[in-house]
PDB file of all heavy atoms in Angstrom:
ATOM      1  N   THR Y1159      -7.037 -16.863 -27.123  1.00  0.00           N
ATOM      2  CA  THR Y1159      -6.566 -16.250 -25.869  1.00  0.00           C
ATOM      3  C   THR Y1159      -5.084 -16.504 -25.640  1.00  0.00           C
ATOM      4  O   THR Y1159      -4.416 -15.706 -24.970  1.00  0.00           O
ATOM      5  CB  THR Y1159      -7.359 -16.788 -24.658  1.00  0.00           C
ATOM      6  OG1 THR Y1159      -7.124 -18.199 -24.501  1.00  0.00           O
ATOM      7  CG2 THR Y1159      -8.849 -16.530 -24.819  1.00  0.00           C
ATOM      8  N   PHE Y1160      -4.566 -17.589 -26.196  1.00  0.00           N
ATOM      9  CA  PHE Y1160      -3.158 -17.888 -25.995  1.00  0.00           C
ATOM     10  C   PHE Y1160      -2.252 -16.924 -26.750  1.00  0.00           C
ATOM     11  O   PHE Y1160      -1.047 -16.874 -26.478  1.00  0.00           O
ATOM     12  CB  PHE Y1160      -2.861 -19.339 -26.395  1.00  0.00           C
ATOM     13  CG  PHE Y1160      -3.279 -20.327 -25.342  1.00  0.00           C
ATOM     14  CD1 PHE Y1160      -4.524 -20.925 -25.396  1.00  0.00           C
ATOM     15  CD2 PHE Y1160      -2.439 -20.639 -24.296  1.00  0.00           C
ATOM     16  CE1 PHE Y1160      -4.922 -21.825 -24.421  1.00  0.00           C
ATOM     17  CE2 PHE Y1160      -2.813 -21.535 -23.321  1.00  0.00           C
ATOM     18  CZ  PHE Y1160      -4.073 -22.131 -23.372  1.00  0.00           C
ATOM     19  N   PHE Y1161      -2.821 -16.179 -27.672  1.00  0.00           N
ATOM     20  CA  PHE Y1161      -2.029 -15.134 -28.323  1.00  0.00           C
ATOM     21  C   PHE Y1161      -1.560 -14.128 -27.286  1.00  0.00           C
ATOM     22  O   PHE Y1161      -0.473 -13.548 -27.396  1.00  0.00           O
ATOM     23  CB  PHE Y1161      -2.858 -14.432 -29.403  1.00  0.00           C
ATOM     24  CG  PHE Y1161      -2.086 -13.392 -30.176  1.00  0.00           C
ATOM     25  CD1 PHE Y1161      -1.401 -13.729 -31.325  1.00  0.00           C
ATOM     26  CD2 PHE Y1161      -2.035 -12.070 -29.739  1.00  0.00           C
ATOM     27  CE1 PHE Y1161      -0.672 -12.773 -32.032  1.00  0.00           C
ATOM     28  CE2 PHE Y1161      -1.310 -11.105 -30.433  1.00  0.00           C
ATOM     29  CZ  PHE Y1161      -0.625 -11.461 -31.582  1.00  0.00           C
ATOM     30  N   LEU Y1162      -2.372 -13.901 -26.259  1.00  0.00           N
ATOM     31  CA  LEU Y1162      -2.060 -12.899 -25.246  1.00  0.00           C
ATOM     32  C   LEU Y1162      -1.364 -13.456 -24.016  1.00  0.00           C
ATOM     33  O   LEU Y1162      -0.622 -12.738 -23.349  1.00  0.00           O
ATOM     34  CB  LEU Y1162      -3.352 -12.189 -24.803  1.00  0.00           C
ATOM     35  CG  LEU Y1162      -4.128 -11.441 -25.887  1.00  0.00           C
ATOM     36  CD1 LEU Y1162      -5.424 -10.893 -25.313  1.00  0.00           C
ATOM     37  CD2 LEU Y1162      -3.295 -10.318 -26.476  1.00  0.00           C
ATOM     38  N   ILE Y1163      -1.582 -14.735 -23.701  1.00  0.00           N
ATOM     39  CA  ILE Y1163      -1.123 -15.230 -22.403  1.00  0.00           C
ATOM     40  C   ILE Y1163      -0.028 -16.286 -22.467  1.00  0.00           C
ATOM     41  O   ILE Y1163       0.544 -16.638 -21.436  1.00  0.00           O
ATOM     42  CB  ILE Y1163      -2.299 -15.799 -21.587  1.00  0.00           C
ATOM     43  CG1 ILE Y1163      -2.834 -17.080 -22.245  1.00  0.00           C
ATOM     44  CG2 ILE Y1163      -3.395 -14.760 -21.415  1.00  0.00           C
ATOM     45  CD1 ILE Y1163      -3.880 -17.804 -21.408  1.00  0.00           C
ATOM     46  N   SER Y1164       0.282 -16.810 -23.639  1.00  0.00           N
ATOM     47  CA  SER Y1164       1.214 -17.939 -23.699  1.00  0.00           C
ATOM     48  C   SER Y1164       2.638 -17.512 -23.374  1.00  0.00           C
ATOM     49  O   SER Y1164       3.110 -16.459 -23.798  1.00  0.00           O
ATOM     50  CB  SER Y1164       1.163 -18.598 -25.080  1.00  0.00           C
ATOM     51  OG  SER Y1164       1.464 -17.658 -26.084  1.00  0.00           O
ATOM     52  N   ILE Y1165       3.328 -18.371 -22.603  1.00  0.00           N
ATOM     53  CA  ILE Y1165       4.739 -18.158 -22.301  1.00  0.00           C
ATOM     54  C   ILE Y1165       5.530 -19.451 -22.540  1.00  0.00           C
ATOM     55  O   ILE Y1165       6.710 -19.530 -22.195  1.00  0.00           O
ATOM     56  CB  ILE Y1165       4.951 -17.682 -20.849  1.00  0.00           C
ATOM     57  CG1 ILE Y1165       4.361 -18.668 -19.855  1.00  0.00           C
ATOM     58  CG2 ILE Y1165       4.373 -16.291 -20.649  1.00  0.00           C
ATOM     59  CD1 ILE Y1165       4.638 -18.312 -18.398  1.00  0.00           C
ATOM     60  N   ALA Y1166       4.867 -20.465 -23.108  1.00  0.00           N
ATOM     61  CA  ALA Y1166       5.527 -21.727 -23.437  1.00  0.00           C
ATOM     62  C   ALA Y1166       4.718 -22.412 -24.527  1.00  0.00           C
ATOM     63  O   ALA Y1166       3.529 -22.135 -24.702  1.00  0.00           O
ATOM     64  CB  ALA Y1166       5.652 -22.627 -22.207  1.00  0.00           C
ATOM     65  N   CYS Y1167       5.343 -23.320 -25.252  1.00  0.00           N
ATOM     66  CA  CYS Y1167       4.703 -23.906 -26.435  1.00  0.00           C
ATOM     67  C   CYS Y1167       4.188 -25.319 -26.206  1.00  0.00           C
ATOM     68  O   CYS Y1167       3.935 -26.035 -27.175  1.00  0.00           O
ATOM     69  CB  CYS Y1167       5.670 -23.905 -27.616  1.00  0.00           C
ATOM     70  SG  CYS Y1167       7.078 -25.044 -27.425  1.00  0.00           S
ATOM     71  N   ASP Y1168       4.034 -25.754 -24.959  1.00  0.00           N
ATOM     72  CA  ASP Y1168       3.599 -27.129 -24.705  1.00  0.00           C
ATOM     73  C   ASP Y1168       2.370 -27.479 -25.535  1.00  0.00           C
ATOM     74  O   ASP Y1168       1.389 -26.727 -25.561  1.00  0.00           O
ATOM     75  CB  ASP Y1168       3.273 -27.325 -23.230  1.00  0.00           C
ATOM     76  CG  ASP Y1168       4.525 -27.286 -22.360  1.00  0.00           C
ATOM     77  OD1 ASP Y1168       5.599 -26.992 -22.897  1.00  0.00           O
ATOM     78  OD2 ASP Y1168       4.413 -27.549 -21.153  1.00  0.00           O
ATOM     79  N   TYR Y1169       2.408 -28.641 -26.194  1.00  0.00           N
ATOM     80  CA  TYR Y1169       1.345 -29.024 -27.120  1.00  0.00           C
ATOM     81  C   TYR Y1169       0.000 -29.105 -26.430  1.00  0.00           C
ATOM     82  O   TYR Y1169      -1.036 -28.819 -27.026  1.00  0.00           O
ATOM     83  CB  TYR Y1169       1.681 -30.378 -27.762  1.00  0.00           C
ATOM     84  CG  TYR Y1169       0.808 -30.703 -28.947  1.00  0.00           C
ATOM     85  CD1 TYR Y1169       1.136 -30.242 -30.214  1.00  0.00           C
ATOM     86  CD2 TYR Y1169      -0.362 -31.438 -28.786  1.00  0.00           C
ATOM     87  CE1 TYR Y1169       0.319 -30.513 -31.297  1.00  0.00           C
ATOM     88  CE2 TYR Y1169      -1.183 -31.709 -29.868  1.00  0.00           C
ATOM     89  CZ  TYR Y1169      -0.836 -31.251 -31.125  1.00  0.00           C
ATOM     90  OH  TYR Y1169      -1.664 -31.511 -32.201  1.00  0.00           O
ATOM     91  N   ARG Y1170      -0.013 -29.452 -25.161  1.00  0.00           N
ATOM     92  CA  ARG Y1170      -1.270 -29.663 -24.438  1.00  0.00           C
ATOM     93  C   ARG Y1170      -2.100 -28.398 -24.298  1.00  0.00           C
ATOM     94  O   ARG Y1170      -3.301 -28.479 -24.055  1.00  0.00           O
ATOM     95  CB  ARG Y1170      -0.966 -30.215 -23.045  1.00  0.00           C
ATOM     96  CG  ARG Y1170      -0.108 -29.300 -22.165  1.00  0.00           C
ATOM     97  CD  ARG Y1170       0.309 -30.018 -20.889  1.00  0.00           C
ATOM     98  NE  ARG Y1170       1.300 -29.292 -20.128  1.00  0.00           N
ATOM     99  CZ  ARG Y1170       1.099 -28.846 -18.888  1.00  0.00           C
ATOM    100  NH1 ARG Y1170      -0.073 -29.018 -18.314  1.00  0.00           N
ATOM    101  NH2 ARG Y1170       2.059 -28.233 -18.252  1.00  0.00           N
ATOM    102  N   TYR Y1171      -1.480 -27.218 -24.434  1.00  0.00           N
ATOM    103  CA  TYR Y1171      -2.223 -25.985 -24.213  1.00  0.00           C
ATOM    104  C   TYR Y1171      -3.389 -25.837 -25.188  1.00  0.00           C
ATOM    105  O   TYR Y1171      -4.420 -25.261 -24.840  1.00  0.00           O
ATOM    106  CB  TYR Y1171      -1.298 -24.770 -24.305  1.00  0.00           C
ATOM    107  CG  TYR Y1171      -0.273 -24.702 -23.195  1.00  0.00           C
ATOM    108  CD1 TYR Y1171       0.969 -24.105 -23.393  1.00  0.00           C
ATOM    109  CD2 TYR Y1171      -0.541 -25.258 -21.943  1.00  0.00           C
ATOM    110  CE1 TYR Y1171       1.907 -24.061 -22.375  1.00  0.00           C
ATOM    111  CE2 TYR Y1171       0.396 -25.215 -20.928  1.00  0.00           C
ATOM    112  CZ  TYR Y1171       1.620 -24.617 -21.147  1.00  0.00           C
ATOM    113  OH  TYR Y1171       2.554 -24.568 -20.138  1.00  0.00           O
ATOM    114  N   LEU Y1172      -3.241 -26.334 -26.402  1.00  0.00           N
ATOM    115  CA  LEU Y1172      -4.312 -26.253 -27.396  1.00  0.00           C
ATOM    116  C   LEU Y1172      -4.966 -27.620 -27.621  1.00  0.00           C
ATOM    117  O   LEU Y1172      -5.536 -27.877 -28.683  1.00  0.00           O
ATOM    118  CB  LEU Y1172      -3.777 -25.692 -28.716  1.00  0.00           C
ATOM    119  CG  LEU Y1172      -3.131 -24.306 -28.649  1.00  0.00           C
ATOM    120  CD1 LEU Y1172      -2.836 -23.784 -30.048  1.00  0.00           C
ATOM    121  CD2 LEU Y1172      -4.006 -23.313 -27.902  1.00  0.00           C
ATOM    122  N   TYR Y1173      -4.888 -28.467 -26.633  1.00  0.00           N
ATOM    123  CA  TYR Y1173      -5.499 -29.797 -26.728  1.00  0.00           C
ATOM    124  C   TYR Y1173      -6.991 -29.715 -27.011  1.00  0.00           C
ATOM    125  O   TYR Y1173      -7.545 -30.542 -27.745  1.00  0.00           O
ATOM    126  CB  TYR Y1173      -5.248 -30.552 -25.424  1.00  0.00           C
ATOM    127  CG  TYR Y1173      -5.875 -31.922 -25.357  1.00  0.00           C
ATOM    128  CD1 TYR Y1173      -5.422 -32.955 -26.173  1.00  0.00           C
ATOM    129  CD2 TYR Y1173      -6.918 -32.195 -24.475  1.00  0.00           C
ATOM    130  CE1 TYR Y1173      -5.986 -34.213 -26.113  1.00  0.00           C
ATOM    131  CE2 TYR Y1173      -7.490 -33.447 -24.405  1.00  0.00           C
ATOM    132  CZ  TYR Y1173      -7.020 -34.460 -25.227  1.00  0.00           C
ATOM    133  OH  TYR Y1173      -7.590 -35.699 -25.168  1.00  0.00           O
ATOM    134  N   PHE Y1174      -7.659 -28.717 -26.461  1.00  0.00           N
ATOM    135  CA  PHE Y1174      -9.094 -28.549 -26.667  1.00  0.00           C
ATOM    136  C   PHE Y1174      -9.429 -28.436 -28.154  1.00  0.00           C
ATOM    137  O   PHE Y1174     -10.424 -28.998 -28.628  1.00  0.00           O
ATOM    138  CB  PHE Y1174      -9.566 -27.306 -25.902  1.00  0.00           C
ATOM    139  CG  PHE Y1174     -11.036 -27.005 -26.031  1.00  0.00           C
ATOM    140  CD1 PHE Y1174     -11.978 -28.011 -26.194  1.00  0.00           C
ATOM    141  CD2 PHE Y1174     -11.487 -25.690 -25.962  1.00  0.00           C
ATOM    142  CE1 PHE Y1174     -13.334 -27.720 -26.306  1.00  0.00           C
ATOM    143  CE2 PHE Y1174     -12.824 -25.386 -26.062  1.00  0.00           C
ATOM    144  CZ  PHE Y1174     -13.752 -26.397 -26.239  1.00  0.00           C
ATOM    145  N   LEU Y1175      -8.612 -27.711 -28.912  1.00  0.00           N
ATOM    146  CA  LEU Y1175      -8.856 -27.563 -30.348  1.00  0.00           C
ATOM    147  C   LEU Y1175      -8.823 -28.914 -31.040  1.00  0.00           C
ATOM    148  O   LEU Y1175      -9.706 -29.236 -31.854  1.00  0.00           O
ATOM    149  CB  LEU Y1175      -7.818 -26.627 -30.959  1.00  0.00           C
ATOM    150  CG  LEU Y1175      -7.848 -26.463 -32.478  1.00  0.00           C
ATOM    151  CD1 LEU Y1175      -9.168 -25.863 -32.931  1.00  0.00           C
ATOM    152  CD2 LEU Y1175      -6.668 -25.609 -32.948  1.00  0.00           C
ATOM    153  N   ASP Y1176      -7.831 -29.723 -30.723  1.00  0.00           N
ATOM    154  CA  ASP Y1176      -7.693 -31.041 -31.354  1.00  0.00           C
ATOM    155  C   ASP Y1176      -8.880 -31.928 -31.030  1.00  0.00           C
ATOM    156  O   ASP Y1176      -9.491 -32.540 -31.901  1.00  0.00           O
ATOM    157  CB  ASP Y1176      -6.413 -31.729 -30.880  1.00  0.00           C
ATOM    158  CG  ASP Y1176      -5.151 -31.039 -31.365  1.00  0.00           C
ATOM    159  OD1 ASP Y1176      -5.251 -29.899 -31.846  1.00  0.00           O
ATOM    160  OD2 ASP Y1176      -4.071 -31.637 -31.248  1.00  0.00           O
ATOM    161  N   ILE Y1177      -9.208 -32.036 -29.751  1.00  0.00           N
ATOM    162  CA  ILE Y1177     -10.215 -32.997 -29.318  1.00  0.00           C
ATOM    163  C   ILE Y1177     -11.612 -32.547 -29.741  1.00  0.00           C
ATOM    164  O   ILE Y1177     -12.473 -33.376 -30.067  1.00  0.00           O
ATOM    165  CB  ILE Y1177     -10.120 -33.227 -27.793  1.00  0.00           C
ATOM    166  CG1 ILE Y1177     -10.487 -34.674 -27.447  1.00  0.00           C
ATOM    167  CG2 ILE Y1177     -10.943 -32.260 -27.009  1.00  0.00           C
ATOM    168  CD1 ILE Y1177      -9.465 -35.690 -27.856  1.00  0.00           C
ATOM    169  N   ALA Y1178     -11.871 -31.243 -29.767  1.00  0.00           N
ATOM    170  CA  ALA Y1178     -13.166 -30.744 -30.242  1.00  0.00           C
ATOM    171  C   ALA Y1178     -13.346 -31.060 -31.721  1.00  0.00           C
ATOM    172  O   ALA Y1178     -14.439 -31.431 -32.168  1.00  0.00           O
ATOM    173  CB  ALA Y1178     -13.269 -29.235 -30.002  1.00  0.00           C
ATOM    174  N   THR Y1179     -12.279 -30.927 -32.504  1.00  0.00           N
ATOM    175  CA  THR Y1179     -12.344 -31.245 -33.931  1.00  0.00           C
ATOM    176  C   THR Y1179     -12.573 -32.738 -34.138  1.00  0.00           C
ATOM    177  O   THR Y1179     -13.345 -33.143 -35.016  1.00  0.00           O
ATOM    178  CB  THR Y1179     -11.046 -30.805 -34.628  1.00  0.00           C
ATOM    179  OG1 THR Y1179     -10.824 -29.418 -34.379  1.00  0.00           O
ATOM    180  CG2 THR Y1179     -11.133 -31.033 -36.123  1.00  0.00           C
ATOM    181  N   MET Y1180     -11.922 -33.570 -33.340  1.00  0.00           N
ATOM    182  CA  MET Y1180     -12.111 -35.015 -33.454  1.00  0.00           C
ATOM    183  C   MET Y1180     -13.562 -35.408 -33.179  1.00  0.00           C
ATOM    184  O   MET Y1180     -14.156 -36.212 -33.910  1.00  0.00           O
ATOM    185  CB  MET Y1180     -11.191 -35.737 -32.474  1.00  0.00           C
ATOM    186  CG  MET Y1180      -9.719 -35.692 -32.852  1.00  0.00           C
ATOM    187  SD  MET Y1180      -8.707 -36.582 -31.634  1.00  0.00           S
ATOM    188  CE  MET Y1180      -7.091 -36.480 -32.407  1.00  0.00           C
ATOM    189  N   LEU Y1181     -14.145 -34.852 -32.129  1.00  0.00           N
ATOM    190  CA  LEU Y1181     -15.545 -35.155 -31.809  1.00  0.00           C
ATOM    191  C   LEU Y1181     -16.474 -34.685 -32.925  1.00  0.00           C
ATOM    192  O   LEU Y1181     -17.446 -35.371 -33.271  1.00  0.00           O
ATOM    193  CB  LEU Y1181     -15.929 -34.497 -30.490  1.00  0.00           C
ATOM    194  CG  LEU Y1181     -15.414 -35.175 -29.216  1.00  0.00           C
ATOM    195  CD1 LEU Y1181     -15.714 -34.312 -28.000  1.00  0.00           C
ATOM    196  CD2 LEU Y1181     -16.039 -36.557 -29.040  1.00  0.00           C
ATOM    197  N   THR Y1182     -16.180 -33.530 -33.493  1.00  0.00           N
ATOM    198  CA  THR Y1182     -17.007 -33.017 -34.581  1.00  0.00           C
ATOM    199  C   THR Y1182     -16.901 -33.902 -35.817  1.00  0.00           C
ATOM    200  O   THR Y1182     -17.903 -34.152 -36.503  1.00  0.00           O
ATOM    201  CB  THR Y1182     -16.595 -31.575 -34.923  1.00  0.00           C
ATOM    202  OG1 THR Y1182     -16.694 -30.759 -33.755  1.00  0.00           O
ATOM    203  CG2 THR Y1182     -17.494 -30.997 -36.016  1.00  0.00           C
ATOM    204  N   LEU Y1183     -15.709 -34.383 -36.114  1.00  0.00           N
ATOM    205  CA  LEU Y1183     -15.538 -35.301 -37.245  1.00  0.00           C
ATOM    206  C   LEU Y1183     -16.356 -36.572 -37.037  1.00  0.00           C
ATOM    207  O   LEU Y1183     -16.979 -37.084 -37.976  1.00  0.00           O
ATOM    208  CB  LEU Y1183     -14.062 -35.653 -37.414  1.00  0.00           C
ATOM    209  CG  LEU Y1183     -13.184 -34.619 -38.112  1.00  0.00           C
ATOM    210  CD1 LEU Y1183     -11.737 -35.088 -38.121  1.00  0.00           C
ATOM    211  CD2 LEU Y1183     -13.663 -34.369 -39.535  1.00  0.00           C
ATOM    212  N   PHE Y1184     -16.370 -37.080 -35.811  1.00  0.00           N
ATOM    213  CA  PHE Y1184     -17.181 -38.261 -35.515  1.00  0.00           C
ATOM    214  C   PHE Y1184     -18.656 -37.958 -35.735  1.00  0.00           C
ATOM    215  O   PHE Y1184     -19.394 -38.763 -36.327  1.00  0.00           O
ATOM    216  CB  PHE Y1184     -16.941 -38.711 -34.069  1.00  0.00           C
ATOM    217  CG  PHE Y1184     -17.857 -39.820 -33.625  1.00  0.00           C
ATOM    218  CD1 PHE Y1184     -17.650 -41.126 -34.054  1.00  0.00           C
ATOM    219  CD2 PHE Y1184     -18.934 -39.555 -32.790  1.00  0.00           C
ATOM    220  CE1 PHE Y1184     -18.511 -42.155 -33.654  1.00  0.00           C
ATOM    221  CE2 PHE Y1184     -19.790 -40.573 -32.381  1.00  0.00           C
ATOM    222  CZ  PHE Y1184     -19.574 -41.870 -32.816  1.00  0.00           C
ATOM    223  N   TYR Y1185     -19.100 -36.801 -35.293  1.00  0.00           N
ATOM    224  CA  TYR Y1185     -20.500 -36.403 -35.464  1.00  0.00           C
ATOM    225  C   TYR Y1185     -20.861 -36.324 -36.949  1.00  0.00           C
ATOM    226  O   TYR Y1185     -21.917 -36.821 -37.368  1.00  0.00           O
ATOM    227  CB  TYR Y1185     -20.711 -35.054 -34.782  1.00  0.00           C
ATOM    228  CG  TYR Y1185     -22.067 -34.433 -35.020  1.00  0.00           C
ATOM    229  CD1 TYR Y1185     -23.217 -35.013 -34.518  1.00  0.00           C
ATOM    230  CD2 TYR Y1185     -22.184 -33.248 -35.752  1.00  0.00           C
ATOM    231  CE1 TYR Y1185     -24.463 -34.434 -34.735  1.00  0.00           C
ATOM    232  CE2 TYR Y1185     -23.410 -32.661 -35.961  1.00  0.00           C
ATOM    233  CZ  TYR Y1185     -24.552 -33.256 -35.458  1.00  0.00           C
ATOM    234  OH  TYR Y1185     -25.785 -32.681 -35.675  1.00  0.00           O
ATOM    235  N   LEU Y1186     -20.007 -35.720 -37.757  1.00  0.00           N
ATOM    236  CA  LEU Y1186     -20.282 -35.614 -39.188  1.00  0.00           C
ATOM    237  C   LEU Y1186     -20.194 -36.980 -39.864  1.00  0.00           C
ATOM    238  O   LEU Y1186     -20.926 -37.251 -40.828  1.00  0.00           O
ATOM    239  CB  LEU Y1186     -19.312 -34.640 -39.845  1.00  0.00           C
ATOM    240  CG  LEU Y1186     -19.429 -33.172 -39.402  1.00  0.00           C
ATOM    241  CD1 LEU Y1186     -18.334 -32.334 -40.049  1.00  0.00           C
ATOM    242  CD2 LEU Y1186     -20.805 -32.616 -39.739  1.00  0.00           C
ATOM    243  N   ALA Y1187     -19.318 -37.851 -39.377  1.00  0.00           N
ATOM    244  CA  ALA Y1187     -19.152 -39.176 -39.975  1.00  0.00           C
ATOM    245  C   ALA Y1187     -20.365 -40.075 -39.721  1.00  0.00           C
ATOM    246  O   ALA Y1187     -20.533 -41.086 -40.412  1.00  0.00           O
ATOM    247  CB  ALA Y1187     -17.900 -39.847 -39.430  1.00  0.00           C
ATOM    248  N   LEU Y1188     -21.199 -39.730 -38.757  1.00  0.00           N
ATOM    249  CA  LEU Y1188     -22.420 -40.504 -38.519  1.00  0.00           C
ATOM    250  C   LEU Y1188     -23.350 -40.438 -39.722  1.00  0.00           C
ATOM    251  O   LEU Y1188     -24.136 -41.356 -39.970  1.00  0.00           O
ATOM    252  CB  LEU Y1188     -23.142 -39.986 -37.265  1.00  0.00           C
ATOM    253  CG  LEU Y1188     -22.421 -40.238 -35.939  1.00  0.00           C
ATOM    254  CD1 LEU Y1188     -23.071 -39.420 -34.827  1.00  0.00           C
ATOM    255  CD2 LEU Y1188     -22.440 -41.725 -35.598  1.00  0.00           C
ATOM    256  N   ASP Y1189     -23.269 -39.346 -40.473  1.00  0.00           N
ATOM    257  CA  ASP Y1189     -24.076 -39.180 -41.692  1.00  0.00           C
ATOM    258  C   ASP Y1189     -23.216 -38.458 -42.728  1.00  0.00           C
ATOM    259  O   ASP Y1189     -23.447 -37.288 -43.039  1.00  0.00           O
ATOM    260  CB  ASP Y1189     -25.342 -38.383 -41.379  1.00  0.00           C
ATOM    261  CG  ASP Y1189     -26.313 -38.337 -42.558  1.00  0.00           C
ATOM    262  OD1 ASP Y1189     -26.020 -38.967 -43.597  1.00  0.00           O
ATOM    263  OD2 ASP Y1189     -27.360 -37.675 -42.433  1.00  0.00           O
ATOM    264  N   PRO Y1190     -22.212 -39.130 -43.268  1.00  0.00           N
ATOM    265  CA  PRO Y1190     -21.255 -38.461 -44.159  1.00  0.00           C
ATOM    266  C   PRO Y1190     -21.885 -37.952 -45.447  1.00  0.00           C
ATOM    267  O   PRO Y1190     -21.431 -36.958 -46.006  1.00  0.00           O
ATOM    268  CB  PRO Y1190     -20.202 -39.537 -44.421  1.00  0.00           C
ATOM    269  CG  PRO Y1190     -20.896 -40.836 -44.163  1.00  0.00           C
ATOM    270  CD  PRO Y1190     -21.876 -40.553 -43.070  1.00  0.00           C
ATOM    271  N   ARG Y1191     -22.916 -38.625 -45.931  1.00  0.00           N
ATOM    272  CA  ARG Y1191     -23.549 -38.175 -47.179  1.00  0.00           C
ATOM    273  C   ARG Y1191     -24.161 -36.795 -47.003  1.00  0.00           C
ATOM    274  O   ARG Y1191     -23.980 -35.913 -47.850  1.00  0.00           O
ATOM    275  CB  ARG Y1191     -24.623 -39.175 -47.615  1.00  0.00           C
ATOM    276  CG  ARG Y1191     -25.367 -38.728 -48.881  1.00  0.00           C
ATOM    277  CD  ARG Y1191     -26.387 -39.751 -49.311  1.00  0.00           C
ATOM    278  NE  ARG Y1191     -25.748 -41.005 -49.702  1.00  0.00           N
ATOM    279  CZ  ARG Y1191     -26.426 -42.080 -50.110  1.00  0.00           C
ATOM    280  NH1 ARG Y1191     -27.754 -42.045 -50.155  1.00  0.00           N
ATOM    281  NH2 ARG Y1191     -25.776 -43.171 -50.457  1.00  0.00           N
ATOM    282  N   SER Y1192     -24.870 -36.585 -45.890  1.00  0.00           N
ATOM    283  CA  SER Y1192     -25.464 -35.277 -45.640  1.00  0.00           C
ATOM    284  C   SER Y1192     -24.390 -34.207 -45.504  1.00  0.00           C
ATOM    285  O   SER Y1192     -24.531 -33.097 -46.033  1.00  0.00           O
ATOM    286  CB  SER Y1192     -26.317 -35.324 -44.365  1.00  0.00           C
ATOM    287  OG  SER Y1192     -26.766 -34.039 -44.013  1.00  0.00           O
ATOM    288  N   ALA Y1193     -23.295 -34.535 -44.811  1.00  0.00           N
ATOM    289  CA  ALA Y1193     -22.216 -33.567 -44.632  1.00  0.00           C
ATOM    290  C   ALA Y1193     -21.592 -33.194 -45.975  1.00  0.00           C
ATOM    291  O   ALA Y1193     -21.346 -32.013 -46.256  1.00  0.00           O
ATOM    292  CB  ALA Y1193     -21.158 -34.148 -43.698  1.00  0.00           C
ATOM    293  N   TRP Y1194     -21.357 -34.189 -46.819  1.00  0.00           N
ATOM    294  CA  TRP Y1194     -20.733 -33.934 -48.116  1.00  0.00           C
ATOM    295  C   TRP Y1194     -21.665 -33.138 -49.029  1.00  0.00           C
ATOM    296  O   TRP Y1194     -21.230 -32.185 -49.690  1.00  0.00           O
ATOM    297  CB  TRP Y1194     -20.348 -35.250 -48.774  1.00  0.00           C
ATOM    298  CG  TRP Y1194     -19.861 -35.101 -50.187  1.00  0.00           C
ATOM    299  CD1 TRP Y1194     -20.454 -35.569 -51.319  1.00  0.00           C
ATOM    300  CD2 TRP Y1194     -18.680 -34.423 -50.619  1.00  0.00           C
ATOM    301  NE1 TRP Y1194     -19.722 -35.240 -52.427  1.00  0.00           N
ATOM    302  CE2 TRP Y1194     -18.624 -34.525 -52.025  1.00  0.00           C
ATOM    303  CE3 TRP Y1194     -17.670 -33.743 -49.952  1.00  0.00           C
ATOM    304  CZ2 TRP Y1194     -17.592 -33.972 -52.761  1.00  0.00           C
ATOM    305  CZ3 TRP Y1194     -16.635 -33.176 -50.705  1.00  0.00           C
ATOM    306  CH2 TRP Y1194     -16.612 -33.306 -52.092  1.00  0.00           C
TER     307      TRP Y1194
END
């Protein structure tokens, strides 16, 4: 959505992408063998 609405590049605007990926990595790391 920021492709259409962004008017500044502040890093925080896409913070959700970073933090969602971090949580997912933690979830996969709970059972890394299955993920691999």
